[in-house]
Amino acid sequence: MTNPEHSHPRRAHIAMFSIAAHGHVNPSLEIIRELVARGHRVTYAIPHLFQEKIAETGAEPVLYRTTLPGPDDDPEAWGTTLLDNVEPFLDDAIQALPQLIDAYEGEGGAGVPDLVLHDITSYPAAVLAHRWGVPAISLSPNLVAWEGYEEEVAEPMWAEPRQTPRGRAYFGKFTAWLTEHGVRKTADEFGSRPDRSLVLIPKALQPNADRVDEKTYTFVGACQGDRSAQGDWERPAGAERVLLVSLGSSFTKQPGFYRACAEAFRALPGWHVVLQVGRHVTADDLGELPGNVEVRQWVPQLAVLKKADAFITHAGAGGSQEGLATATPMVAVPQAVDQFGNADMLQALGVARHVPMEEATAGNLRAAVLALVDDPEVARRLAAIRREMAGEGGTRQAADLIEAELPAA
């Protein structure tokens, strides 16, 4: 239940937009729940796979059809190159926009909102905010651009793809779509330079945090709430130390990696290993496993981490900040996109080791975990970061800042 001092003087219609991906929906859920508790009407545009999860927050799901690969699809559906990764978002946005216009403006629709919230992957949201003349706030579940980001990161990364016919076609298509809808931004500006953004990661995970424009970006940190509905996890009797292994929800088709993790701690005295393997791998795929290894498709990750001694992670934003919030030493084995930067940040903070996937052998993983859990300096640094995170405000701070952007009645 919300504190009356946080109630906004008027009930507003706030529209949230996201895609069907756990890593992009989950960070916003507690903010949405808080806004509903403060008396606002919140609609949430989302594909049908997440309808129930959104409804549980008290928001009204506004459903649209998506062409993006879903969380149950084979990770290989995303391709391997930079253009493979970004083209689907633009194509999905182009086909989703007319659906969303009708869902909000059409007869019996949700109605034009007072303010738009959106995940960074929801391109139609900012176009709709422009169309409706209402404020838009980006909710970023991972790192954001800093002053100099374009020159240091974006330009080198895009230099080669931009020279290809496919790359030129992509940017031409993006620019034409924005121009058609009256948005006067380049494709680069549209993707990395929002007018206003709340950053849902701890500032400790942000590269070059001292060069981030604080007029645009506000770090509110992890917006976590009561997760008891997800269930609990108990440390088995006799387990002196617990290791959680998880590659998140998307890049989990890695049976060889899971076998290496199991082998690393085979019969190691006192250790219990929890392998979360996702939907694309089964225990049968892993062969004969030692008795101290527990294989699960899914676990209540935060509940496990509260009782774990170490975490082998893909270094997604969600997992990284949960590791920091529970002061759990991490071995980061990144798989894609921002995870490589997160792995480097965690290592630079002195609370993790970055082990590239090609070097993730049983021996290397075991050595990295044991070195971290036996190092008192790692424990000291994790405790200090956890204290810093507690002061970033989280869910209530995010809701306060969103209400501050609502137009006057």
Side-chain angles (χ1 to χ4, degrees):
M1 192 166 175
T2 193
N3 188 324
E5 71 183 65
H6 291 288
S7 297
H8 196 260
R10 74 181 181 91
R11 184 175 188 261
H13 174 192
I14 299 170
M16 172 69 192
F17 297 80
S18 192
I19 63 168
H22 294 288
H24 291 272
V25 171
N26 291 348
S28 71
L29 292 179
E30 293 308 315
I31 300 172
I32 300 305
R33 200 184 309 276
E34 175 70 11
L35 292 169
V36 171
R38 294 186 184 196
H40 299 294
R41 178 192 175 210
V42 181
T43 56
Y44 198 124
I46 193 74
H48 74 280
L49 283 174
F50 281 71
Q51 180 177 2
E52 185 175 339
K53 177 175 273 196
I54 298 307
E56 287 172 353
T57 69
E60 305 167 26
V62 174
L63 304 180
Y64 69 92
R65 296 181 308 280
T66 182
T67 57
L68 290 174
D72 296 338
D73 293 327
D74 191 315
E76 293 176 7
W78 285 103
T80 57
T81 70
L82 184 55
L83 284 167
D84 288 340
N85 295 161
V86 299
E87 285 173 335
F89 290 102
L90 177 58
D91 292 339
D92 188 57
I94 291 171
Q95 69 85 34
L97 183 60
Q99 295 180 59
L100 293 169
I101 290 173
D102 185 60
Y104 278 87
E105 297 179 20
E107 185 176 350
V112 173
D114 300 292
L115 181 144
V116 164
L117 297 176
H118 63 95
D119 179 75
I120 56 173
T121 57
S122 181
Y123 297 166
V127 172
L128 288 168
H130 175 80
R131 175 186 177 93
W132 294 330
V134 301
I137 303 175
S138 164
L139 301 182
S140 180
N142 49 32
L143 64 85
V144 295
W146 56 88
E147 295 306 317
Y149 171 85
E150 284 78 10
E151 296 82 4
E152 296 166 21
V153 177
E155 290 176 9
M157 180 173 67
W158 278 104
E160 185 176 343
R162 278 184 183 276
Q163 300 306 312
T164 67
R166 183 181 172 190
R168 289 193 292 270
Y170 168 76
F171 281 98
K173 186 176 184 178
F174 209 145
T175 300
W177 183 64
L178 293 175
T179 301
E180 176 188 353
H181 295 285
V183 177
R184 296 181 178 177
K185 285 186 176 182
T186 66
D188 295 306
E189 292 168 339
F190 184 82
S192 65
R193 293 293 177 181
D195 295 327
R196 183 75 176 98
S197 179
L198 303 183
V199 190
L200 311 184
I201 62 169
K203 200 169 186 178
L205 278 177
Q206 170 65 40
N208 302 301
D210 58 332
R211 288 196 272 152
V212 172
D213 180 3
E214 295 186 2
K215 294 188 181 73
T216 298
Y217 300 100
T218 303
F219 288 86
V220 297
C223 295
Q224 296 169 350
D226 179 9
R227 299 195 188 174
S228 57
Q230 295 183 356
D232 202 357
W233 182 86
E234 292 298 329
R235 179 190 289 250
E240 298 171 16
R241 285 183 164 173
V242 169
L243 167 68
L244 173 63
V245 179
S246 172
L247 296 179
S249 59
S250 296
F251 299 95
T252 59
K253 196 177 180 181
Q254 301 286 356
F257 169 76
Y258 298 127
R259 282 194 290 268
C261 292
E263 186 62 32
F265 290 85
R266 177 181 290 276
L268 199 65
W271 278 89
H272 180 79
V273 180
V274 181
L275 284 181
Q276 177 180 279
V277 298
R279 295 178 179 273
H280 304 291
V281 174
T282 68
D284 291 342
D285 296 324
L286 304 182
E288 185 179 353
L289 294 171
N292 65 334
V293 175
E294 169 186 346
V295 179
R296 303 271 291 274
Q297 271 200 339
W298 179 88
V299 295
Q301 182 165 286
L302 194 58
V304 179
L305 285 174
K306 287 177 179 177
K307 299 169 185 176
D309 299 278
F311 184 22
I312 296 180
T313 171
H314 66 311
S320 297
Q321 65 188 14
E322 287 179 1
L324 293 176
T326 55
T328 308
M330 288 171 273
V331 174
V333 187
Q335 304 294 304
V337 290
D338 63 310
Q339 297 158 19
F340 298 96
N342 292 339
D344 289 338
M345 286 295 296
L346 290 168
Q347 180 164 276
L349 290 169
V351 301
R353 298 281 179 89
H354 178 178
V355 178
M357 191 64 169
E358 61 273 17
E359 298 176 18
T361 63
N364 287 343
L365 292 170
R366 180 173 56 249
V369 169
L370 295 180
L372 288 164
V373 298
D374 289 331
D375 189 338
E377 181 61 17
V378 171
R380 185 195 68 77
R381 289 174 176 169
L382 281 165
I385 292 169
R386 180 161 57 177
R387 287 193 298 271
E388 290 172 13
M389 288 174 64
E392 289 182 320
T395 301
R396 283 193 172 184
Q397 172 74 345
D400 288 346
L401 292 168
I402 289 165
E403 288 187 330
E405 297 291 331
L406 284 168

